[in-house]
Each structure stands twice: as C-alpha cells, then as structure tokens.
Amino acid sequence: MNKPQGASMYESAKKIYPREIGGRFANLSRLATIVLLGLFYGIPWFNWGERQAVLFDLPARKFHLIGLTLWPQDFPYLALLLIIAALSLFFFTALAGRLWCGFACPQTVWTEIFIWMEQLTEGKRSQRIKLDTAPWSWNKLRRKGSKQFLWITFSIWTGFTFVGYFTPVRDLGAEFLALNVGGWTLFWGFFYGFATYGNAGYMREQVCKYMCPYARFQSAMFDEDTLIISYDESRGEPRGGRKRSVDAKAAGLGDCIDCQLCVQVCPTGIDIREGLQYECIACAACIDACDSIMDKMEYPRGLVRYTTEHAIHRESTHVLRPRMFVYATLLILLCAGLVTSMATRTPIILDVIRDRNSLYRELPNDMIENIYTIKVINQSDQARSFVLGVDGVEGLSLDGVGTDDTVHVDGGSVLSLPVRVRAHRDDAYGIMTIQFSVTAIDDESVSIHEDSRFLGPMP
Ligand code: SF4
Ligand code: SF4
C-alpha cells in the first residue's frame, strides 16, 4: 500500500474518560476490588508463629506459605500449581468468558482505584474533560496536583507492599522510616510502584489492548456457548432517539435509544453494539448503563446482557459440553494429585555426596572405609532429632555422627555432616549399593532413604 506523502501511519491513542456508573455489576466490581486489594496489602502483615505468614525468602531459598515451607526441591509443587492456575483460566474462560479480566485482573483492579482517585480530585467525566482542555490555572494545578499526590503515595505504598512479600515487612517498615533502605530493595520497590503508576494511571486500556497476551488468545477458548456480554441486535435495532411517550413499535424503532451511555462508561472506549470485540474486558459497565436507561424508558432490562452466541440467535445453550468435561476432569485430577502429594510429603530431605577424592581407604584390622558428606534438611518449622542409619552390606558401621547415631536439626535448617562408613574387607569388594536412612525420633513415619555407592578392593 502506498502511503500518501507526509501522512503518518501512526495514530496516537485518544484519552478515554470513562463515565461513572452505579448498578449490580459496578457493586460487584467494587467488592472484588476491595477484597483483592485488601488481601494484597494486608497479607504481609499477618504472622504465623514467630515469622511472617507469607514470605518468599529468596536469599534463604525458602517460600513460607502460612504453615508450609517450600524449598527449591519442592519446585514440582509450584509447577503443578501453575498448571492448575492455567487450566482454571481455560475452564472459567470457556464457561464464563473474560470474568478474570473484568473483575480480578490486577490491571483492572488497580485501574479502578486510580480512576476513583481521579474522580475524587478532578470530578465527574464532563468536569475531567473540561479540566483537561482548560488553560492552566490555580484550580487546575490544585486538582491535578492532588491527583498526582494520591497516585504517587498509593504507588509507593504498593511498591513497599510488593517488596514486603520478599523481605520481612516490619523490618522493611523500620528501615523505610529510618531512611535506611538497601539498594536492591529500593530498586524493586520503585520499579513495582512505578509500574503501578504508569499502568493504572496512564496506560490503562492500552495494556489490555496491546500488551496483554491473554487478550489475544482468549478468543480461541470461546465457542457459541461461552458466556459473553452482548447487545441484543434483534431487539435494539433500528436504534434511534425518541421521547418516552412514543410507542417504539408504532414508530418502527427498536429498544436502543442511541443514547451512547454504554459507550461513555466503557473503560476501553468501544461500542458493544458493534459486536464481540477483543478489546472488551467484560467489566459489565455497559450492562449497568443500559439497564439504567431501560428502567427510565420503562422497557425490560437486558438489551445489553450476559448471554451466549446461541442464545442471541435464539438457539439452545449447552453449559455442559465436551471441552468443559475435559477441563474439569483434568483440573480435578491435578488438584487431587497436588493435595495428596502435599499431604504425604516427607518434611525432610536427605542428600548423600560421596567423597570423590578417594576410592576407599584400607584401615588396620582389615577394615575398608568410604567417606561421605550427608546433608539433612529439616523442612518443618520445629527443631527435630533424627537417627542416621546405613544398610546394604553385612556389618556396615557409621562413624562421625555422635551418640546413638543421632543428629539434631533446627526447624527450616540444613545440617551438613562428614561421615565415615566402614565394612570388613571380606564383605566389601567391588562396587556395592548401600542405603542411608534418616528417621525422626518423635515420629518413625517421618523417614527417608537415599542410595549411594560403597567401593572396596576388586575381588
Ligand atoms: S464493552 Fe461493556 S463489558 Fe466490554 S469493556 Fe466496554 S463496558 Fe466493559
Ligand atoms: S445504553 Fe442501551 S440504549 Fe443507550 S445506546 Fe447503549 S445499547 Fe442503546
């Protein structure tokens, strides 16, 4: 395509001023925002015993989730959890469309709060439009300045809370107040705070339209039975303005009075009457808007509503369809697998590293000795005593452990111990497999084994 000389292929985004609207879905959205942000800002302040209930302690390579401590060795649980999260997204998208986008996505939730602060300082939609086009004055400076103050304070608090998931939040608070925050802590706090400020304050719908990968591929999970927000064209058209007293049917009009309210409340600036569009985040603001107009006109509600493609075309909708069964079965199996493996998880890890510098040592009395380093990781929060054992060759003995082969490991700690294993020359020849074991003294069911090799002279 030839570009006319001097014409730009780039069209800058027009600022959207979403109009405030009340209603069933607006209340639901507010509730979701309060609950989700309440959880985000509140969780780091809860303690579980002596420590923060939820703490991703990266330097110590430990994730504390209430009573559970996950170690790098528990990575399969995390992978399973992510697969479950992805499958849940597929399941709920196929069932109810973009519920996540409209009510739970961080971008939506934070944008909601930022728009609320904007309304608080700059006023309603018409006042905001007027203020933006007005020349700078004391009133404009005061309103814009108040908005920036609220946005920046909230963003700093958000960055601080984010870092509080990785550093004990009370210590962080003390460092913050003493203006003694470390370099990396400061960097991540500002980075997250700045991302919140930029995404929720300025980029808003641009993130959903151009940056979010989910917006691009979610349509692949849609079918004619997926719940979507749609305009009922057969009922609304032909659209047109009229007085409430006018009989729409007699005037040859549909129920849409072409008031544009559904467009004005849309946070992504689209017209739902043009059909299903990928920019629609299913926030349901247009449903509340149109319902309020239908009430005023004394028409039945639901010209814009949650529906399905089949229902819009007067065909029957099937909630239970094959793909739902596949997603649900996989979800149930994975959740059951995760719960079972977590419930039966042994809270100790045993690592045995054989000394590679020597094959074996010959001792007086015809004894053969091999050297190992044993690592016992106590994954529980309580200190525990364990009995170390070794088996697999006749007359094996363990040396270097201490009284009664017992070791003591603090909660959430690693004990590294060099040990010597001995066997009589008559029983130790060639390469043999031996088993080390660690068993908790207070609970014999807490036990773990690890195989290693024992080397002796070749027969
Ligand atoms: S079209 Fe309706 S549901 Fe979709 S984003 Fe706009 S207001 Fe929200
Ligand atoms: S709010 Fe309802 S009546 Fe008004 S333009 Fe939108 S669809 Fe038509």
Side-chain angles (χ1 to χ4, degrees):
M1 193 178 80
N2 287 333
K3 182 167 78 96
Q5 214 176 7
S8 170
M9 297 290 280
Y10 175 77
E11 190 190 6
S12 56
K14 290 190 183 70
K15 186 172 174 183
I16 293 170
Y17 298 86
R19 185 171 172 154
E20 45 296 325
I21 189 78
R24 292 174 293 162
F25 296 106
N27 290 341
L28 200 63
S29 168
R30 264 168 223 140
L31 184 69
T33 302
I34 291 168
V35 170
L36 293 171
L37 289 188
L39 286 174
F40 174 77
Y41 293 102
I43 282 175
W45 295 97
F46 285 99
N47 270 12
W48 182 262
E50 296 288 299
R51 62 161 170 79
Q52 195 169 309
V54 176
L55 181 67
F56 305 120
D57 191 348
L58 294 180
R61 296 185 177 84
K62 286 188 263 183
F63 285 4
H64 300 291
L65 295 170
I66 310 177
L68 187 72
T69 300
L70 295 174
W71 294 68
Q73 289 83 350
D74 293 318
F75 179 77
Y77 295 122
L78 193 64
L80 204 56
L81 205 63
L82 290 176
I83 295 171
I84 289 173
L87 255 179
S88 304
L89 196 64
F90 295 169
F91 177 78
F92 286 109
T93 304
L95 182 71
R98 296 178 70 173
L99 263 192
W100 163 261
C101 298
F103 295 93
C105 171
Q107 176 63 19
T108 306
V109 167
W110 266 301
T111 300
E112 180 108 340
I113 284 288
F114 272 61
I115 289 179
W116 175 76
M117 287 188 267
E118 196 166 68
Q119 283 169 7
L120 199 71
T121 50
E122 295 185 0
K124 294 184 169 178
R125 180 175 186 268
S126 53
Q127 291 170 302
R128 297 202 302 273
I129 296 174
K130 216 166 133 192
L131 192 72
D132 274 0
T133 48
W136 280 100
S137 62
W138 166 242
N139 177 49
K140 184 165 177 172
L141 195 67
R142 185 175 57 84
R143 287 180 180 275
K144 293 269 175 200
S146 312
K147 178 181 82 174
Q148 290 298 332
F149 174 75
L150 288 182
W151 279 9
I152 291 170
T153 309
F154 195 75
S155 300
I156 291 173
W157 184 31
T158 306
F160 170 84
T161 305
F162 174 74
V163 176
Y165 279 89
F166 299 90
T167 304
V169 76
R170 286 178 175 76
D171 298 349
L172 184 66
E175 287 170 16
F176 193 77
L177 290 177
L179 300 178
N180 185 27
V181 184
W184 279 112
T185 308
L186 206 60
F187 169 78
W188 285 112
F190 271 110
F191 179 80
Y192 199 82
F194 182 70
T196 308
Y197 174 83
N199 288 344
Y202 292 98
M203 306 217 10
R204 296 190 179 170
E205 79 289 347
Q206 309 288 327
V207 174
C208 310
K209 279 173 153 175
Y210 305 116
M211 290 164 69
C212 176
Y214 175 63
R216 301 278 161 178
F217 72 75
Q218 45 84 27
S219 58
M221 288 171 257
F222 275 40
D223 58 24
E224 288 85 355
D225 291 312
T226 300
L227 208 57
I228 50 168
I229 292 174
S230 185
Y231 165 71
D232 190 342
E233 203 176 319
S234 62
R235 187 187 139 189
E237 300 297 321
R239 66 186 78 164
R242 83 288 312 254
K243 285 195 176 138
R244 201 164 65 180
S245 53
V246 170
D247 181 346
K249 278 207 176 73
L253 289 168
D255 281 354
C256 175
I257 64 165
D258 206 12
C259 63
Q260 301 284 322
L261 194 62
C262 54
V263 182
Q264 290 172 12
V265 297
C266 179
T268 62
I270 58 168
D271 187 341
I272 189 71
R273 295 171 299 170
E274 287 170 11
L276 189 61
Q277 296 150 75
Y278 84 92
E279 293 97 333
C280 173
I281 58 166
C283 67
C286 52
I287 300 184
D288 281 337
C290 193
D291 279 351
S292 71
I293 297 296
M294 295 296 108
D295 289 350
K296 275 186 200 140
M297 297 299 293
E298 294 176 357
Y299 296 164
R301 284 182 165 198
L303 177 59
V304 178
R305 63 178 184 273
Y306 271 109
T307 183
T308 65
E309 289 268 318
H310 272 152
I312 282 281
H313 297 117
R314 311 288 183 249
E315 292 167 29
S316 57
T317 295
H318 304 97
V319 178
L320 302 177
R321 44 204 200 276
R323 69 159 70 189
M324 304 311 299
F325 282 111
V326 172
Y327 287 147
T329 310
L330 283 174
L331 261 180
I332 291 168
L333 286 177
L334 285 173
C335 288
L338 182 67
V339 170
T340 312
S341 59
M342 298 276 273
T344 55
R345 168 179 178 259
T346 311
I348 42 170
I349 295 171
L350 173 63
D351 255 350
V352 179
I353 304 156
R354 197 178 172 284
D355 182 6
R356 295 209 176 98
N357 293 327
S358 66
L359 289 176
Y360 58 86
R361 283 172 61 192
E362 295 188 28
L363 302 179
N365 307 326
D366 284 342
M367 296 300 281
I368 301 297
E369 181 181 86
N370 282 211
I371 297 173
Y372 304 83
T373 300
I374 289 191
K375 279 190 179 168
V376 182
I377 303 173
N378 179 5
Q379 293 181 287
S380 69
D381 286 337
Q382 303 88 36
R384 263 186 152 151
S385 294
F386 300 95
V387 177
L388 249 67
V390 64
D391 209 354
V393 172
E394 185 76 30
L396 271 188
S397 68
L398 198 58
D399 191 26
V401 180
T403 326
D404 302 329
D405 293 340
T406 301
V407 291
H408 186 81
V409 191
D410 287 336
S413 299
V414 183
L415 176 80
S416 190
L417 195 68
V419 297
R420 296 179 291 279
V421 177
R422 292 174 188 149
H424 195 271
R425 169 184 283 276
D426 293 344
D427 301 314
Y429 43 83
I431 302 171
M432 288 168 291
T433 301
I434 59 173
Q435 294 88 40
F436 286 86
S437 66
V438 174
T439 307
I441 288 180
D442 61 338
D443 182 357
E444 280 190 11
S445 66
V446 178
S447 181
I448 192 165
H449 298 78
E450 173 85 5
D451 284 353
S452 189
R453 287 181 308 154
F454 187 89
L455 302 187
M458 295 308 284

